[in-house]
Amino acid sequence: MAAAQGRLSDGTGGMDDAKEGDQDAKETAPLPFRAAVDALKGARLRPEIEIDPTRPPQRLAPYSYALEAAVVAEDEDLADGRLVLLHDPAGHEAWQGAFRLVTLIRAELEPEMATDPLLPEVSWSWLTGALQARGLSYGEPSGTVTRASSHYFGGLSERPSASQIEIRASWTPREGLGGVPDTAAHLAAWCDLLCQIAGLPPAGPGDASVVTLPQRRDPHSR
């Protein structure tokens, strides 16, 4: 897969706002949410992952925390994404739980992959396979896999055609002791998915169950 175009930040807010919101959450959020956020911050990730807190959505749940990440190899972004942790202490009927993880991941595609009819199904299997490979229990998964192609004309006609894949998904992490889900493990699985869509090889034997597509270009062979 080719590099993703730009980062997901929408230009509003930024690290200062994220840190300020994080401090507010520490002071007012319930203990299970604070523990879940602390676990996200303490997770150990692959060195190819560059990750930072970002401003979370404000109206999806009473409490939220967001991370923005990119897979970077040889100073090139191969894929990027955003992971949002939502928490409603009263529980949410649609979630079937008090926590919800929401993600957006995107990357550019090689032309031969963009036309593969199995691409949406295989891409969704990357998400479920990443969670299963980590032995994670989750429920109520939902989402979309979208592929889009851009063709340039007129003054832009010299640009090559480009295709992109986008995965939007959400799922409910099962809660453990104290009503706290294992958010560090879910983050690790999400990073497995991010690396998978970027075209990186699995980090370990536990990732072997994730389905791969043929004719993918090694991101280091540029």
Side-chain angles (χ1 to χ4, degrees):
M1 291 186 180
Q5 292 183 342
R7 297 295 179 90
L8 290 170
S9 177
D10 56 11
T12 59
M15 285 298 299
D16 291 341
D17 289 339
K19 291 177 180 178
E20 182 179 349
D22 186 27
Q23 184 61 37
D24 292 341
K26 283 183 178 180
E27 296 175 355
T28 63
L31 285 175
F33 178 73
R34 290 159 59 184
V37 170
D38 286 343
L40 288 175
K41 294 178 180 178
R44 299 180 63 183
L45 307 175
R46 291 181 62 165
E48 299 92 344
I49 299 285
E50 295 185 357
I51 192 165
D52 289 296
T54 189
R55 187 174 181 84
Q58 302 297 307
R59 299 180 181 180
L60 297 181
Y63 304 95
S64 60
Y65 182 79
L67 294 167
E68 190 171 81
V71 179
V72 181
E74 299 179 358
D75 297 323
E76 185 175 8
D77 284 11
L78 303 177
D80 53 34
R82 179 179 293 171
L83 183 68
V84 180
L85 175 68
L86 304 176
H87 179 54
D88 187 340
H92 195 291
E93 183 177 358
W95 303 351
Q96 294 296 299
F99 285 89
R100 188 75 171 172
L101 286 164
V102 181
T103 185
L104 163 63
I105 289 178
R106 66 184 187 184
E108 286 188 30
L109 293 170
E110 300 298 338
E112 64 271 18
M113 293 181 61
T115 59
D116 192 318
L118 296 178
L119 179 66
E121 289 79 5
V122 171
S123 298
W124 183 255
S125 77
W126 289 346
L127 170 62
T128 57
L131 295 170
Q132 292 166 6
R134 295 277 177 177
L136 293 170
S137 178
Y138 65 96
E140 309 304 318
S142 64
T144 61
V145 177
T146 304
R147 54 182 164 187
S149 297
S150 298
H151 302 269
Y152 300 95
F153 302 94
L156 300 177
S157 60
E158 293 184 357
R159 293 189 182 183
S161 298
S163 298
Q164 188 177 76
I165 185 172
E166 181 180 275
I167 301 175
R168 294 178 180 267
S170 63
W171 65 95
T172 298
R174 296 307 183 200
E175 299 165 18
L177 293 176
V180 182
D182 189 352
T183 50
H186 281 270
L187 175 58
W190 180 74
C191 288
D192 293 341
L193 170 64
L194 194 62
C195 290
Q196 182 76 12
I197 199 173
L200 297 188
D207 300 328
S209 63
V210 179
V211 180
T212 59
L213 282 175
Q215 300 179 323
R216 302 177 66 197
R217 185 170 66 183
D218 185 345
H220 294 282
S221 60
R222 298 182 186 276

